[in-house]
Amino acid sequence: QNYNYAYEEFPFQVVHWNLMESFYRVRAKEWIDYNDDAKKFLCLNRWARPFRLEFMKRMEGILDQFNYSLPDKAYDRGNLEKNLMMGGGLYWDFPEHKRDSLLYIVTESSFEGEHEHLRDVSEKTWRPIALQMPFILLHEPFALRRLRDIGYRTFHTIWDESYDTIVDPEKRMDAIVNLVLELNSRENFRGMIDSCRDIVEHNFAMLKMRRPEENWISLIR
């Protein structure tokens, strides 16, 4: 699903279909308002991958601004949410993610360069797009560029997204950590999120419009 070979040449046809983009198109919800007491950040981490643990460790000083989960800590909305985060289930269909948090920090499937072709995003990134939330992406380099290549918009006009071009994973992590700390210090955080509305609405419309499965379906008709 999220392996991308769009920039490679092969002696055979490669058909791209990110099945989770199609899935989230069906599950996407219309606009959901933020709660007045929504926290600044949401970061969900079901599996203890090293880069996820490192990021959360470096957020310790501002975790009061987060809704988050780790393998030993569920995003605390009672037993239902604990089951959703830790035991599977319909975790993609939970609107409190949008009501309770303003900016989604997505810790994707891979970060440290071990999968150079893992550039398309997984269900983890389609979730904030379907919920019309702005996001920061912890992923392999050039993943944001890949999203823009297929018609989505990202947030470089509102904050620094140069982290997406940093190949070295340690330097990329430093850039993302510094970005989150800088955003946390902004005086009008809610106003900044409101300024993302055109982008998140564009991305929602793109998600509803695109049919990434059609190339594959056309081959079996």
Coordinates of all heavy atoms in Angstrom, one line a residue, residues 109-143:
S109 N 5.0 4.6 9.3 CA 5.5 3.2 9.4 C 7.0 3.1 9.4 O 7.6 2.2 10.0 CB 5.0 2.4 8.2 OG 3.5 2.4 8.2
S110 N 7.7 4.1 8.8 CA 9.1 4.0 8.7 C 9.7 5.4 8.8 O 9.0 6.4 8.3 CB 9.5 3.4 7.4 OG 10.9 3.3 7.2
F111 N 10.9 5.6 9.3 CA 11.5 6.9 9.4 C 13.0 6.9 9.1 O 13.6 7.9 8.6 CB 11.3 7.4 10.8 CG 11.8 8.8 11.1 CD1 11.0 9.9 10.7 CD2 13.0 9.0 11.7 CE1 11.5 11.2 10.9 CE2 13.4 10.3 11.9 CZ 12.7 11.4 11.5
E112 N 13.7 5.8 9.5 CA 15.1 5.8 9.6 C 15.9 5.4 8.3 O 17.1 5.1 8.4 CB 15.5 5.0 10.8 CG 15.0 5.6 12.1 CD 15.1 4.6 13.3 OE1 15.2 3.4 13.0 OE2 14.9 5.1 14.4
G113 N 15.2 5.4 7.2 CA 15.9 5.1 5.9 C 16.1 3.6 5.6 O 16.7 3.3 4.6
E114 N 15.5 2.8 6.4 CA 15.6 1.3 6.1 C 14.7 0.9 5.0 O 14.9 -0.2 4.4 CB 15.3 0.5 7.4 CG 13.9 0.5 7.8 CD 13.6 1.6 8.9 OE1 14.3 2.7 8.8 OE2 12.7 1.4 9.7
H115 N 13.7 1.7 4.6 CA 12.9 1.4 3.5 C 12.8 2.6 2.6 O 11.9 3.4 2.7 CB 11.5 1.0 4.0 CG 11.4 -0.1 4.9 ND1 11.8 -1.4 4.5 CD2 11.1 -0.2 6.2 CE1 11.6 -2.2 5.5 NE2 11.2 -1.6 6.6
E116 N 13.8 2.7 1.6 CA 13.9 3.9 0.9 C 12.7 4.2 -0.1 O 12.4 5.3 -0.5 CB 15.2 3.9 0.0 CG 15.2 2.8 -1.0 CD 16.5 2.8 -1.8 OE1 16.7 3.9 -2.5 OE2 17.2 1.8 -1.8
H117 N 11.9 3.1 -0.4 CA 10.8 3.2 -1.3 C 9.5 3.4 -0.5 O 8.4 3.4 -1.1 CB 10.7 2.1 -2.2 CG 11.8 2.0 -3.2 ND1 12.0 3.0 -4.2 CD2 12.8 1.2 -3.4 CE1 13.0 2.7 -4.9 NE2 13.6 1.6 -4.5
L118 N 9.5 3.4 0.8 CA 8.3 3.6 1.6 C 8.0 5.1 1.8 O 8.2 5.7 2.8 CB 8.5 3.0 3.0 CG 7.2 2.5 3.8 CD1 6.5 1.4 3.0 CD2 7.6 2.0 5.2
R119 N 7.5 5.6 0.6 CA 7.3 7.1 0.6 C 5.9 7.5 0.5 O 5.5 8.5 1.0 CB 8.1 7.6 -0.7 CG 8.1 9.1 -0.7 CD 9.0 9.6 -1.9 NE 10.4 9.2 -1.6 CZ 11.3 9.0 -2.6 NH1 11.0 9.1 -3.8 NH2 12.5 8.7 -2.2
D120 N 5.0 6.6 -0.1 CA 3.6 6.8 0.0 C 3.2 6.7 1.5 O 3.8 6.0 2.2 CB 2.8 5.9 -0.8 CG 2.7 6.3 -2.3 OD1 2.9 7.5 -2.5 OD2 2.3 5.5 -3.1
V121 N 2.1 7.3 1.9 CA 1.7 7.3 3.3 C 0.7 6.1 3.5 O 0.1 5.6 2.5 CB 1.0 8.6 3.7 CG1 2.0 9.7 3.6 CG2 -0.2 8.9 2.9
S122 N 0.5 5.7 4.7 CA -0.4 4.6 5.1 C -1.7 5.2 5.7 O -1.9 6.4 5.6 CB 0.3 3.7 6.1 OG 0.4 4.4 7.4
E123 N -2.5 4.3 6.3 CA -3.7 4.8 6.9 C -3.4 5.8 8.0 O -4.3 6.6 8.3 CB -4.4 3.6 7.5 CG -3.9 3.1 8.9 CD -2.6 2.3 8.8 OE1 -2.2 1.9 7.7 OE2 -2.1 2.0 9.9
K124 N -2.2 5.9 8.5 CA -1.9 6.8 9.6 C -2.1 8.3 9.1 O -2.5 9.1 9.9 CB -0.5 6.5 10.1 CG -0.3 5.1 10.7 CD 1.1 4.8 11.0 CE 1.4 3.4 11.3 NZ 1.1 2.5 10.1
T125 N -1.7 8.5 7.9 CA -1.8 9.9 7.4 C -3.1 10.2 6.7 O -3.6 11.3 6.7 CB -0.7 10.1 6.4 OG1 0.6 10.0 7.0 CG2 -0.7 11.6 5.8
W126 N -3.7 9.1 6.1 CA -5.1 9.4 5.6 C -6.1 9.7 6.7 O -7.1 10.4 6.4 CB -5.5 8.1 4.8 CG -4.7 7.8 3.6 CD1 -4.0 6.7 3.4 CD2 -4.4 8.7 2.5 NE1 -3.2 6.8 2.2 CE2 -3.5 8.0 1.7 CE3 -4.8 10.0 2.2 CZ2 -3.0 8.6 0.5 CZ3 -4.3 10.6 1.0 CH2 -3.4 9.9 0.2
R127 N -5.8 9.3 7.9 CA -6.7 9.6 9.0 C -6.9 11.1 9.2 O -8.0 11.6 9.2 CB -6.3 8.9 10.3 CG -7.3 9.0 11.4 CD -6.8 8.2 12.6 NE -6.5 6.9 12.3 CZ -5.4 6.2 12.6 NH1 -4.4 6.9 13.2 NH2 -5.2 5.0 12.4
P128 N -5.8 11.9 9.4 CA -6.1 13.3 9.6 C -6.6 14.0 8.3 O -7.3 15.0 8.4 CB -4.7 13.9 10.0 CG -3.7 12.8 9.5 CD -4.4 11.5 9.7
I129 N -6.2 13.5 7.2 CA -6.8 14.1 5.9 C -8.3 13.9 5.9 O -9.1 14.8 5.6 CB -6.1 13.5 4.7 CG1 -4.7 14.0 4.6 CG2 -6.9 13.8 3.4 CD1 -3.9 13.4 3.5
A130 N -8.8 12.6 6.3 CA -10.2 12.3 6.3 C -10.9 13.1 7.4 O -12.1 13.4 7.3 CB -10.4 10.8 6.5
L131 N -10.2 13.4 8.5 CA -10.8 14.2 9.6 C -10.7 15.7 9.4 O -11.1 16.5 10.3 CB -10.2 13.8 10.9 CG -10.6 12.4 11.4 CD1 -9.7 12.0 12.6 CD2 -12.0 12.4 11.9
Q132 N -10.0 16.1 8.3 CA -9.8 17.6 8.0 C -9.0 18.2 9.1 O -9.3 19.2 9.7 CB -11.1 18.3 7.8 CG -11.9 17.7 6.6 CD -13.1 18.5 6.2 OE1 -13.0 19.6 5.7 NE2 -14.3 17.9 6.5
M133 N -7.8 17.6 9.4 CA -6.9 18.1 10.4 C -5.6 18.4 9.8 O -5.1 17.7 8.9 CB -6.7 17.1 11.6 CG -7.9 16.8 12.4 SD -7.6 15.6 13.7 CE -6.5 16.5 14.8
P134 N -4.9 19.5 10.2 CA -3.5 19.7 9.8 C -2.6 18.7 10.4 O -2.9 18.1 11.5 CB -3.2 21.1 10.2 CG -4.1 21.3 11.4 CD -5.4 20.5 11.1
F135 N -1.5 18.4 9.8 CA -0.6 17.4 10.3 C 0.9 17.7 10.0 O 1.2 18.4 9.1 CB -1.0 16.0 9.7 CG -0.9 16.0 8.2 CD1 0.3 15.7 7.5 CD2 -2.0 16.3 7.4 CE1 0.3 15.6 6.1 CE2 -2.0 16.2 6.0 CZ -0.8 15.9 5.4
I136 N 1.7 17.1 10.9 CA 3.2 17.0 10.7 C 3.5 15.6 10.5 O 2.9 14.7 11.2 CB 3.9 17.6 11.9 CG1 3.7 19.2 12.0 CG2 5.4 17.3 11.9 CD1 4.2 19.8 13.3
L137 N 4.4 15.3 9.6 CA 4.6 13.9 9.2 C 6.0 13.4 9.6 O 7.0 13.9 9.0 CB 4.4 13.8 7.7 CG 4.3 12.4 7.1 CD1 3.3 11.5 7.7 CD2 4.1 12.5 5.6
L138 N 6.1 12.4 10.5 CA 7.3 11.7 10.7 C 7.4 10.5 9.8 O 6.7 9.5 10.0 CB 7.5 11.3 12.2 CG 7.9 12.3 13.2 CD1 6.8 13.3 13.5 CD2 8.5 11.6 14.5
H139 N 8.2 10.6 8.7 CA 8.2 9.5 7.7 C 9.5 9.6 7.0 O 10.4 10.4 7.4 CB 7.0 9.8 6.8 CG 6.6 8.6 5.9 ND1 7.1 7.3 6.1 CD2 5.8 8.5 4.8 CE1 6.6 6.5 5.2 NE2 5.8 7.1 4.4
E140 N 9.7 8.8 6.0 CA 10.9 8.8 5.2 C 10.9 10.2 4.4 O 9.9 10.8 4.3 CB 10.9 7.7 4.1 CG 10.9 6.3 4.8 CD 12.2 6.0 5.5 OE1 13.2 6.7 5.3 OE2 12.2 5.0 6.2
P141 N 12.1 10.6 4.0 CA 12.2 11.9 3.3 C 11.4 11.9 2.0 O 11.2 10.9 1.4 CB 13.7 12.1 3.1 CG 14.2 10.8 3.1 CD 13.4 10.0 4.1
F142 N 10.9 13.1 1.7 CA 10.1 13.4 0.5 C 8.7 12.8 0.4 O 8.1 12.7 -0.6 CB 10.9 13.0 -0.8 CG 12.3 13.5 -0.8 CD1 13.4 12.6 -0.7 CD2 12.6 14.8 -0.9 CE1 14.7 13.1 -0.6 CE2 13.9 15.3 -0.9 CZ 15.0 14.4 -0.8
A143 N 8.2 12.4 1.6 CA 6.8 11.9 1.7 C 5.8 13.0 1.4 O 4.8 12.8 0.8 CB 6.6 11.2 3.0

